[in-house]
């Protein structure tokens, strides 16, 4: 079955021109291209990709999340080690002189309906983020505020009380994209 919504692209890619110039507009209208046990997202977007495919591309624009379901799995798969295998007598593959740089300036608007569920958690958050920097060194700023939420553990239900949420303010461990969590939960015992 096809996913709902529409995604379309207009623009140019100079495949036979020096540096492969790119100038594309990508629009999504209530699209749901991501469906999995971990994330299901429905969104609209207006993005612009411009630059040279062999040097630097810049992605700018907005993404409006309408409904996003984030499922917390019971366990995560183990990390897969990637080995750099070289055969005797063969040279290592050439590393490109200049890797492609992808610049970012994207605003993510999600006033509500970001649902986080699994492992006893059931919460809804909403807010705005700005993703800047590059794909190698992303910088995220903004905040998702708690709309409602609860956490069930060992037969007890803890209700999250506003205010609370997840902020991206550079105060994390690596000062880049680490979120700062601020939640208060309470329960009544009888």
């Amino acid at each position: 079955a096809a996913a709902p919504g529409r995604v379309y692209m207009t623009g140019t890619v100079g495949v036979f021109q020096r540096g492969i110039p790119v100038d594309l507009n990508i629009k999504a209208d209530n699209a749901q291209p991501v469906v999995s046990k971990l994330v299901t997202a429905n969104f609209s977007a207006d993005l612009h990709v411009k630059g040279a495919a062999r040097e630097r591309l810049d992605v700018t624009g907005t993404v409006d999340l309408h409904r996003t379901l984030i499922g917390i799995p019971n366990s995560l798969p183990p990390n897969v080690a990637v080995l750099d295998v070289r055969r005797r007598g063969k040279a290592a593959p050439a590393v490109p002189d200049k890797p492609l740089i992808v610049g970012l300036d994207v605003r993510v608007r999600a006033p509500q309906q970001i649902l986080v569920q699994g492992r006893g958690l059931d919460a809804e958050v909403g807010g705005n983020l700005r993703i800047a920097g590059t794909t190698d060194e992303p910088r995220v700023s903004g905040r998702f505020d708690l709309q409602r939420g609860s956490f069930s553990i060992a037969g007890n239900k803890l209700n999250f009380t506003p205010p609370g949420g997840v902020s991206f303010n550079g105060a994390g461990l690596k000062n880049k994209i680490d979120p700062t969590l601020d939640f208060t939960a309470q329960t009544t015992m009888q």
Side-chain angles (χ1 to χ4, degrees):
R6 237 172 53 151
V7 176
Y8 51 98
M9 181 172 43
T10 59
T12 60
V13 177
V15 177
F16 299 111
Q17 296 175 18
R18 185 172 184 235
I20 308 178
V22 174
D23 190 354
L24 298 172
N25 288 308
I26 302 166
K27 294 188 186 274
D29 184 20
N30 288 316
Q32 187 174 303
V34 180
V35 178
S36 75
K37 289 181 180 179
L38 294 177
V39 177
T40 298
N42 179 279
F43 64 90
S44 294
D46 188 357
L47 299 170
H48 188 210
V49 179
K50 187 169 181 158
R54 295 206 176 183
E55 297 164 12
R56 180 182 176 113
L57 294 173
D58 287 292
V59 180
T60 59
T62 58
V63 176
D64 293 303
L65 297 176
H66 303 305
R67 179 179 167 85
T68 302
L69 177 61
I70 301 169
I72 300 172
N74 288 330
S75 64
L76 294 173
N79 289 339
V80 176
V82 177
L83 303 176
D84 183 15
V85 177
R86 296 183 189 165
R87 299 197 185 273
R88 229 179 249 161
K90 299 274 184 176
V95 176
D97 292 337
K98 293 169 81 178
L100 174 65
I101 297 169
V102 179
L104 302 168
D105 188 4
V106 176
R107 297 196 183 278
V108 178
R109 300 183 296 211
Q112 60 187 7
Q113 288 197 338
I114 297 183
L115 307 171
V116 183
Q117 299 173 336
R119 298 191 70 152
L121 180 64
D122 181 14
E124 179 180 1
V125 296
N128 297 297
L129 297 179
R130 179 175 180 231
I131 304 169
T134 66
T135 51
D136 288 337
E137 294 285 330
R139 291 186 318 272
V140 179
S141 59
R143 179 175 175 88
F144 288 131
D145 291 309
L146 175 69
Q147 310 283 324
R148 62 165 182 84
S150 64
F151 182 68
S152 298
I153 185 168
N156 294 313
K157 185 175 181 179
L158 301 170
N159 293 310
F160 293 118
T161 56
V166 180
S167 62
F168 296 86
N169 55 11
L173 296 174
K174 295 182 182 177
N175 298 327
K176 292 178 186 160
I177 62 172
D178 299 346
T180 300
L181 306 176
D182 177 18
F183 291 104
T184 302
Q186 62 185 20
T187 190
T188 302
M189 302 292 280
Q190 297 182 16

